[in-house]
């Protein structure tokens, strides 16, 4: 069972208890537990197998929660949750997503009007039934209808690459307006989170109405959802929504800090301010009524005795303690990358030839690459059998021997089959310069089977790296059920490297697991998995993910020279 699944039980429990009118402290305890479990680098299932004590070492997990976790892991159920679900239909829980409709109101429409689904709620709001409820009225009914429209699009998340492309274009265009001073994206986009719920942009401007008019008329924008003196919310053609905030220059740093988040990071920063007798908000840092900081982010952090913290780390996962002790990592940068060890050509499902990929890699200043086309199981992609693969390697060899300035490895992306064997025999793999093993099929198999497959690959002496370990596709499909603790232990033992696949819909390993791989001493390799020459440009997103994991240059194997890289492979 994956951590996120276990966490889900507690999130659902908290939602239901809220509708049921339970004690807020209890509700908060469950929400905190959900987050702790979600962010845990180790498998909560393995911890549960060790027993109650092991779980109780986790922050915020007491005896009661530990017992519940064990019950969930062992039985796949939580009796308390079952009871509440009997009592409260799922449609009522969904109502909590409607802005302005809290648990009390959701409970009221359910109990007084017998409404159990969002569709019934819409009908009742339109017919006037909702408005006639005690404490509701016409205004509430209208805002419920608006909220119902909104949640059709909300809850949806967007890939970072898409979100950044849009927010960067809009920000650049706003900066062209003479009235605008500074402008910058904030929120999850600035933190380079793998998916973004909405876009946040901050500007300083002498005349905010000019900025808002320009945004309303921007080519990417379709609707203005709300507009005030300093705030505007619009919807883009892509469906994502954008929050614009216009702030005074003297508040710009404080607002940037506040709206960059994460919320969890900000809560700790605010607490530090309180401990120092200060108040911190989006307008500045104040001692009594006097503003002591706010124009720049550096000033804001300095006011709470911290160095500036890079946005990628602002998740309250230990960065504040590191900053306090002057131990913030020197995070990897795109310019540190020397090689790209995962890409395809026309031999399988790539769009460019061997020669074109090599030339494109040289243009991007890469010093070495591996060409890693698919093995035969991937029939959709015209995967290579032993005979075609050997011919393909000969072709690569011909091209590389006529080239200078870049080294090219003859590689293979070899499928780990559903029956836990590899798609190509050992005598072929042995001839490769570089072997990536991956899961493509049977991702829904039970965790034990998945682990058996991954461990078989890791124990094969010819396998160098596990590619996109979970196989997830962001916003589309979850990854395989992996026990990462076991995976990383085995990889460390056998000297197998782990990939951060930089493709924007993969970013796999994710940030939490990449950090965990580092703790296990496993070098990570960031690769593009390019299927065309322009596919080589996504390296940056993999680097962002690595930065969110706190990785430094030395933690990433393909920052080394090819000689050092190959020595690393042999030493393992
Ligand atoms: P997203 O949009 O779901 O990908 O994530 P964010 O982090 O961009 O969240 P968003 O757009 O709701 O808000 C942007 C930032 O504003 C957030 O990271 C922190 C700050 N913020 C928003 N609401 C609150 C709040 O209620 N309390 C605190 N402390 N900060 C907030
Ligand atoms: Ca946001
Ligand atoms: Ca927002």
């Amino acid at each position: 069972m994956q951590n996120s699944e276990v966490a889900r039980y507690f999130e659902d429990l908290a939602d239901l208890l809220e509708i049921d009118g339970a004690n807020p402290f209890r509700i908060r305890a469950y929400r905190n537990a959900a987050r702790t479990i979600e962010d845990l680098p180790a498998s909560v299932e393995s911890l549960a197998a060790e027993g109650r004590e092991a779980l109780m070492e986790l922050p915020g997990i007491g005896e009661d929660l530990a017992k519940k976790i064990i019950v969930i892991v062992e039985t796949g159920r939580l009796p308390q949750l079952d009871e509440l679900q009997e009592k409260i239909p799922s449609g009522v829980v969904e109502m909590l997503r409607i802005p302005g409709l809290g648990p009390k109101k959701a409970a009221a429409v359910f109990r007084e009007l017998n409404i159990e689904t969002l569709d019934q709620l819409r009908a009742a709001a339109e017919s006037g039934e909702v408005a006639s409820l005690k404490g509701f009225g016409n205004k509430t009914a209208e805002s419920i209808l608006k909220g119902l429209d909104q949640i059709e699009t909300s809850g949806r998340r967007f890939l970072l690459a898409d979100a950044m492309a849009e927010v960067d274009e809009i920000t650049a265009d706003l900066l062209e307006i003479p009235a605008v001073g500074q402008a910058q994206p904030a929120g999850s986009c600035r933190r380079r989170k793998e998916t973004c719920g909405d876009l946040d942009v901050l500007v300083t401007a002498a005349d905010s109405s000019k900025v808002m008019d320009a945004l309303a008329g921007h080519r990417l924008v379709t609707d203005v959802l709300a507009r005030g003196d300093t705030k505007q919310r619009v919807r883009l053609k892509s469906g994502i929504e954008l929050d614009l905030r216009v702030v005074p220059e003297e508040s710009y740093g404080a607002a940037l800090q506040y709206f960059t988040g994460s919320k969890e990071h900000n809560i700790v920063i605010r607490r530090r301010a309180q401990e120092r007798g200060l108040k911190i908000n989006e307008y500045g840092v104040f001692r009594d009524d006097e503003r002591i900081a706010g124009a720049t982010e550096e000033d804001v952090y300095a006011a709470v005795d911290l160095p500036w913290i890079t946005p990628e780390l602002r998740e309250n996962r230990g960065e504040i303690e590191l900053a306090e002790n002057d131990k913030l990592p020197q995070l990897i940068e795109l310019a540190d990358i020397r090689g790209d060890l995962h890409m395809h050509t026309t031999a399988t499902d790539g769009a460019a030839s061997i020669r074109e990929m090599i030339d494109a890699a040289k243009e991007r200043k890469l010093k070495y690459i591996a060409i890693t086309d698919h093995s035969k199981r991937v029939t959709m992609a015209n995967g290579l059998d032993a005979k075609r693969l050997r011919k393909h390697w000969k072709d690569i060899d011909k091209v590389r021997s006529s080239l200078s300035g870049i080294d090219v490895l003859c590689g293979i992306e070899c499928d780990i089959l559903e029956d836990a064997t590899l798609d190509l025999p050992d005598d072929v793999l042995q001839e490769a310069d570089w072997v990536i093993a991956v899961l493509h099929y049977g991702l829904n198999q039970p965790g034990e089977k998945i682990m058996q497959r991954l461990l078989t690959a890791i124990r094969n002496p010819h396998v160098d790296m596990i590619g996109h370990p979970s196989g997830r596709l962001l916003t589309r499909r979850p990854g395989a059920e992996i026990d990462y603790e076991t995976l990383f232990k085995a990889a460390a033992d056998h000297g197998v490297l782990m990939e951060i696949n930089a493709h924007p819909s993969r970013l796999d390993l994710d940030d939490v697991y990449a950090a965990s791989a580092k703790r296990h001493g496993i070098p990570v390799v960031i690769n593009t998995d390019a299927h065309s020459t322009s596919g080589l440009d996504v390296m940056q997103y993999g680097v962002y993910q690595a930065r969110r994991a706190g990785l430094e240059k030395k933690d990433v194997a393909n920052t080394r020279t090819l000689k050092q890289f190959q020595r690393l492979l042999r030493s393992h």
Side-chain angles (χ1 to χ4, degrees), residues 332 337 500 523-526 546 551-560:
I332 178 174
I337 298 285
I500 292 181
V524 165
V525 190
I526 310 176
L551 301 195
E552 304 189 300
K553 184 177 173 182
K554 66 172 166 47
D555 303 318
V556 177
N558 52 324
T559 60
R560 300 168 198 224

Side-chain angles (χ1 to χ4, degrees), residues 186-189 196-200 243:
S188 51
C189 237
C196 300
D198 72 0
L199 306 175
D200 303 275
D243 281 326

Side-chain angles (χ1 to χ4, degrees), residues 156-158 186-191 193 195-200 233 241 243 245 255-267 270 314-315:
R156 207 177 136 197
R157 297 189 68 81
F158 296 78
S188 51
C189 237
R190 185 167 180 238
R191 303 199 309 280
K193 197 174 152 88
T195 61
C196 300
D198 72 0
L199 306 175
D200 303 275
R233 187 165 175 88
E241 295 178 6
D243 281 326
R245 288 183 187 79
L256 191 56
Q257 199 285 323
Y258 181 89
F259 291 112
T260 295
S262 68
K263 201 167 150 184
E264 289 75 15
H265 173 91
N266 287 355
I267 287 170
R270 205 159 50 223
R314 299 184 196 172
E315 298 290 347

Side-chain angles (χ1 to χ4, degrees), residues 13-44:
L13 187 58
D15 284 343
L16 285 162
L17 284 170
E18 209 162 12
I19 296 168
D20 208 35
N23 177 332
F25 289 103
R26 228 171 107 215
I27 296 165
R28 187 155 345 126
Y30 289 127
R31 288 209 197 285
N32 288 342
R35 183 158 194 270
T36 302
I37 293 166
E38 184 101 49
D39 280 349
L40 198 65
S43 152
V44 73

